[in-house]
Amino acid sequence: MAETATAAPKRSSSWRQFKAILRKDIVMELRTKEMLSSMTLYTLLTLVIYQIALSQSGSGFDIRLIAAGLVWLAFVFTSMLGLNRSLVHEKDQGCLEALLLAPVDRPVIFFAKAVGNLIFLLIVEVVTVPIFAVAFMSGRPIAGPFWMLVLSAFVGSLGIAGVGTFLATMAVNARGGSFILSVLFIPLMYPALLAAVAGSSAVVLGGEGYAATFWQAVGMGAGIDAIMLLAVFALYEFVVGA
Amino acid sequence: MAMDRNRLTFAAVVVGGLLTTVAFVLAFFVAAPVLANNTLTAGGGALIGGKLITNPVLFSQKIFFFHVPVAITSFVIFFFTAFYGVRFLMTKDKRFDTKARIATEITLVFVALTMITGDIWTRYEWGTWWVWEPRLTTYFIMMMLVIVYFVLRASIEDEERRAVYASAFGILAFLDAPLSFAITRIVPSGAHPVVLRAGGGLDAVQLGGFLIGLAGMLCFGYAIYQLRIREETAKERLEVLKASLEG
């Protein structure tokens, strides 16, 4: 009886701490609009680069063959920008140290930061995909149902936000922060990104047995997410305090 | 204890040298050609990827006796990066970080050897230097992770923090190794041959030569690792002595 009485408030306070940190990030973003605006702008400029890259491809070129890969590329670039920012803020203003001094469990900090980054990334994705569709797909429909695309985007983004938050925490304390983040992030995320592109591409392209390919890719992506997230969750405690 | 280890290291060099030499002699003068993805047919051809190949089996397959042991050794040593990473995080003992770093260094040496021998074979057998094939890709990623490990270390000044970050990253990076190792079994459509498997068709001499080569390479890996550790320990002791003289 006494045990449950002490256990119950602790659990609720973890949840409250989580909400408090997440709310802090969201409120700050709503006031400054710094991360979302810079991430969206960066994605738009990435699309401009795509236009340059594809400018000589001619009208016969079917963009759908590489569409999923291009969109994921934009997500990867912009998420590295956002992830770096989200931790640089904490570092510059001494907020991370204050959080560590406060009686907050380290995993709670990780979850709150990762969920915040996931939310921002998903918002950017929601803005980017229609713009990409209008600018590049020129009326070509995607073969599979839309919810499949959403699912594969979510599975991929989950891994990006989780592992990315972990790596960004290391990168802000290293010399050449954003460079370090990208060199750590890309090879480590390779399997997850490959699964994400495979899943999304199957939906865009369709064709025989695309659903099987899709589920295989999404299943693999989810499996990789689970392994990676468990690993970074276990390691975060060491890294954030170091 | 230290004396024993020195003798063991010396023994590992000698045994490694002997075993790899024996393996090479077996590979080049005794063992029959190794047919990758093979099912021997009566006509002397081989089924490769479901197609009957009747070309004479190329001499280039002899690289199997070098390339595969080196690659397996790279996986084995990379495991110690993660292992000592975990040990470091558990104990915060600096020696484990040094061990993890040296293990990663040796991994890089063996990864480089694997890449070079693999590429020579690929150029000869497949006619191109590189294909983005599952095994090659995941192994390439593993090489990148090993290189990035040192980039990360170089970018952090604080010693304790460097050790913690490197340990954490080493553990995460090692997650790619089992994937790379197993990928030819997961994605059998890849071009990379899978010789070592049930019913893979290695005869006793081929298998013996391969295993001797593998044992030799593991001995070499161990010996280089121990020698580097010795060098590092001596260096650290020198620093301590220097500090005490200045002190």
Side-chain angles (χ1 to χ4, degrees), chain B residues 37 52 62 91 99 102 122 133-134 149 153 207:
Chain B
N37 290 344
L52 183 69
K62 297 289 182 198
T91 60
K99 286 183 176 182
I102 303 298
T122 305
E133 181 271 346
Y149 174 91
R153 288 195 79 100
L207 188 64

Side-chain angles (χ1 to χ4, degrees), chain B residues 50 57-58 65 90 141 204 209 236 241:
Chain B
V57 177
L58 296 167
F65 293 94
M90 280 164 65
I141 293 296
E236 273 163 27
L241 284 175

Side-chain angles (χ1 to χ4, degrees), chain A residues 170 173-175 184 187 190 242, chain B residues 137 141 148 154-155 157 161 165:
Chain A
M170 295 212 282
N173 288 314
R175 249 182 302 123
L184 298 180
Y190 172 84
Chain B
T137 311
I141 293 296
V148 163
S155 72
E157 266 144 45
R161 179 181 284 164
Y165 285 13

Side-chain angles (χ1 to χ4, degrees), chain B:
Chain B
M1 184 63 202
M3 194 57 216
D4 282 355
R5 185 152 299 169
N6 285 349
R7 266 158 64 188
L8 194 59
T9 306
F10 180 69
V13 174
V14 174
V15 172
L18 276 175
L19 290 182
T20 42
T21 311
V22 170
F24 280 8
V25 171
L26 281 178
F28 282 100
F29 297 108
V30 184
V34 175
L35 301 166
N37 290 344
N38 55 347
T39 325
L40 267 176
T41 56
L47 277 173
I48 298 179
K51 282 184 198 146
L52 183 69
I53 307 293
T54 48
N55 301 346
V57 177
L58 296 167
F59 192 61
S60 66
Q61 54 73 37
K62 297 289 182 198
I63 211 151
F64 167 80
F65 293 94
F66 184 78
H67 175 73
V68 183
V70 168
I72 291 179
T73 308
S74 76
F75 287 125
V76 170
I77 300 176
F78 199 25
F79 166 78
F80 285 97
T81 298
F83 174 75
Y84 285 125
V86 173
R87 294 290 291 142
F88 174 80
L89 291 179
M90 280 164 65
T91 60
K92 292 286 158 74
D93 185 340
K94 228 185 85 187
R95 280 179 320 162
F96 288 125
D97 178 53
T98 308
K99 286 183 176 182
R101 172 165 59 88
I102 303 298
T104 319
E105 267 179 26
I106 314 298
T107 308
L108 187 56
V109 172
F110 279 88
V111 166
L113 285 174
T114 309
M115 275 292 186
I116 293 165
T117 52
D119 255 356
I120 295 168
W121 183 83
T122 305
R123 177 67 187 85
Y124 203 68
E125 199 87 339
W126 297 345
T128 67
W129 287 107
W130 188 260
V131 261
W132 290 104
E133 181 271 346
R135 167 57 74 69
L136 270 62
T137 311
T138 46
Y139 201 76
F140 176 76
I141 293 296
M142 191 175 118
M143 182 175 80
M144 294 308 292
L145 288 166
V146 173
I147 293 170
V148 163
Y149 174 91
F150 293 106
V151 176
L152 176 66
R153 288 195 79 100
S155 72
I156 302 164
E157 266 144 45
D158 183 80
E159 222 171 275
E160 158 106 30
R161 179 181 284 164
R162 185 200 302 144
V164 172
Y165 285 13
S167 301
F169 185 73
I171 294 165
L172 286 180
F174 178 70
L175 294 177
D176 185 62
L179 182 69
S180 180
F181 185 77
I183 196 85
T184 45
R185 279 89 179 166
I186 301 170
V187 189
S189 59
H192 192 284
V194 191
V195 178
L196 299 172
R197 62 206 156 103
L202 285 184
D203 67 26
V205 179
Q206 291 166 336
L207 188 64
F210 164 75
L211 287 177
I212 291 169
L214 177 60
M217 281 303 162
L218 287 170
C219 282
F220 265 143
Y222 174 78
I224 304 171
Y225 169 79
Q226 284 299 345
L227 288 172
R228 280 287 292 128
I229 287 282
R230 228 164 83 182
E231 190 193 339
E232 286 298 305
T233 319
K235 214 189 261 172
E236 273 163 27
R237 266 175 50 202
L238 181 67
E239 289 302 316
V240 172
L241 284 175
K242 261 191 200 163
S244 73
L245 276 179
E246 282 161 9

